[in-house]
Amino acid sequence: MNGMQFQDLVASSRTYRRFSDQRVGETVLSALVDAARLAPCGNNMQLLRFRVVGEKDECDAVFGHLRWAALYRDWDGPEPGERPHGYVVICLPSELADNPIRLIDVGIAAQTMALAACARGLGCCMIRSFDAGLAPELALPEGLVPALVLAVGGRGERVVLEGPDTEHGLSYWRDADGTHHVPKLALEDLLV
Ligand SMILES: Cc1cc2nc3c(=O)[nH]c(=O)nc-3n(C[C@H](O)[C@H](O)[C@H](O)COP(=O)(O)O)c2cc1C
């Protein structure tokens, strides 16, 4: 893969919140974790643990604890039929749940899995807004808590990148056709 192809991969690795009926098996979800396994982490401590959720009943249970697209105030998340077919829940030891280095680890692991999913033509949504019922729902091993949920599935919506406009600023927005628009600042706006 050359630099341009990598830039294209990153550009197409968008947040998807509506999914197709393509099944995502636990083998694929585990392959995403296998990529995250190789990601950098502070002091190479490797404290993250991962729960793969691929069974329909468990997916339905996890879904009930998630909050989707805070900026879409009149949308409660994907309807039945457009919900994710799998999740990877990134977990931390409870005493490190707010540790900045470990939360950086979580972000790096999440982006690594998102890119791995994108390379397979799948869509993802990182979800940090979940309720307190998620941890007991997952029946995690003692001392582990969920830090971030990665929802995974076939892409079921159109997502486009664009620059900020005067109407939407940096807020993502959905047009009348259902296309999800994601404004990103230009390179020259970021360089300091
Ligand atoms: C740390 C983090 C937490 C996020 N939490 C949520 C969430 O709880 N619910 C949600 O629908 N999207 C969530 N997102 C997705 C962001 O809204 C999304 O990344 C942003 O709108 C930019 O879109 P893009 O990923 O396509 O660049 C989260 C993203 C990140 C990086």
Side-chain angles (χ1 to χ4, degrees):
M1 176 182 288
N2 64 30
M4 285 288 284
Q5 290 167 328
F6 181 74
Q7 184 71 10
D8 287 345
L9 177 69
V10 176
S12 59
S13 180
R14 302 271 53 83
T15 290
Y16 286 82
R17 299 185 178 87
R18 292 185 294 178
F19 299 90
S20 72
D21 56 7
Q22 180 184 345
R23 192 129 157 68
V24 180
E26 293 188 7
T27 306
V28 170
L29 296 170
S30 297
L32 306 185
V33 178
D34 201 32
R37 181 177 69 82
L38 306 178
C41 60
N43 299 108
N44 202 31
M45 294 278 282
Q46 302 174 61
L47 295 166
L48 304 183
R49 296 296 180 266
F50 302 83
R51 168 60 61 83
V52 165
V53 178
E55 291 295 325
K56 170 134 185 24
D57 288 353
E58 208 184 354
C59 285
D60 289 345
V62 166
F63 180 85
H65 298 286
L66 307 178
R67 301 287 169 267
W68 296 82
L71 296 183
Y72 289 163
R73 295 186 198 289
D74 54 355
W75 186 69
D76 289 334
E79 299 289 336
E82 53 183 24
R83 293 179 178 168
H85 284 273
Y87 299 92
V88 179
V89 183
I90 309 176
C91 304
L92 272 174
S94 54
E95 69 275 16
L96 297 174
D98 298 317
N99 179 289
I101 298 292
R102 298 309 150 206
L103 289 173
I104 292 171
D105 291 351
V106 169
I108 292 170
Q111 179 67 355
T112 300
M113 291 195 289
L115 291 173
C118 183
R120 289 168 168 77
L122 298 170
C124 288
C125 184
M126 297 180 198
I127 300 180
R128 173 71 175 175
S129 298
F130 47 78
D131 66 32
L134 179 64
E137 189 77 69
L138 294 168
L140 295 170
E142 182 71 22
L144 282 182
V145 292
L148 194 80
V149 178
L150 189 72
V152 185
R155 298 169 182 179
E157 63 182 337
R158 185 162 176 269
V159 179
V160 293
L161 280 181
E162 58 201 14
D165 63 32
T166 47
E167 184 181 352
H168 303 97
L170 296 181
S171 300
Y172 55 79
W173 58 285
R174 197 175 273 163
D175 66 24
D177 295 333
T179 297
H180 176 78
H181 297 252
V182 187
K184 295 290 182 186
L185 294 171
L187 174 61
E188 55 269 25
D189 296 326
L190 303 183
L191 300 176
V192 292

